[in-house]
């Protein structure tokens, strides 16, 4: 979970997260990305959510971008929630174990 605060408010039309996918190292795409916004942290509302496509087999390690459009408008607070895959799928060598999610950049456009 991440909170971003803007003073003065800013116009944002999309949020893009860049991160690693390394299936063999248990690093999977996120199960869900939620974007909340509002005038203050106590009054944020869910703006949108996304469930990125999951691999169905071990794939080579790579960087992946997840771009999520949001309603344009003056924003003071963004709350970003990223949920990892709860358990690795049956086809994975580590099936049933905990998955990881790694991000290194967030872009607000």
């Amino acid at each position: 979970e991440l909170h971003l605060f803007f003073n003065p408010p800013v116009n944002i039309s999309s949020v893009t997260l860049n991160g690693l996918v390394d299936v063999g190292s248990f690093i999977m795409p996120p199960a869900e990305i939620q974007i909340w916004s509002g005038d203050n942290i106590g009054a944020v509302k869910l703006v949108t959510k996304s469930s990125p496509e999951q691999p169905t087999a071990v794939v080579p390690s790579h960087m992946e971008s997840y771009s999520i459009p949001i309603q344009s408008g003056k924003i003071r607070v963004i709350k970003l929630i990223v949920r990892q895959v709860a358990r690795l799928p049956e086809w994975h060598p580590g099936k049933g174990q905990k998955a990881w999610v790694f991000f290194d950049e967030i872009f607000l456009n």
Side-chain angles (χ1 to χ4, degrees):
E1 186 171 310
L2 171 72
H3 299 125
L4 302 169
F5 300 92
F6 305 99
N7 190 16
V10 295
N11 283 318
I12 298 172
S13 59
S14 69
V15 176
T16 301
L17 297 120
N18 288 333
L20 177 66
V21 175
D22 189 350
V23 175
S25 295
F26 299 18
I27 304 168
M28 302 288 283
E32 183 177 69
I33 300 168
Q34 297 178 6
I35 300 173
W36 300 65
S37 72
D39 286 331
N40 62 63
I41 197 61
V44 293
K45 294 182 180 174
L46 182 63
V47 175
T48 189
K49 61 183 174 179
S50 175
S51 297
E53 187 175 336
Q54 296 296 313
T56 57
V58 176
V59 296
S61 175
H62 64 280
M63 297 300 290
E64 188 76 36
S65 290
Y66 308 95
S67 187
I68 304 164
I70 62 173
Q71 290 282 342
S72 196
K74 295 288 186 182
I75 294 176
R76 290 187 178 275
V77 177
I78 286 182
K79 177 179 172 181
L80 182 64
I81 298 174
V82 177
R83 300 196 190 283
Q84 79 267 26
V85 173
R87 299 280 176 237
L88 293 168
E90 288 295 315
W91 56 262
H92 195 281
K95 65 181 174 185
Q97 295 186 45
K98 180 178 169 180
W100 296 95
V101 62
F102 288 3
F103 287 104
D104 66 344
E105 296 178 315
I106 299 172
F107 295 98
L108 305 174
N109 299 309

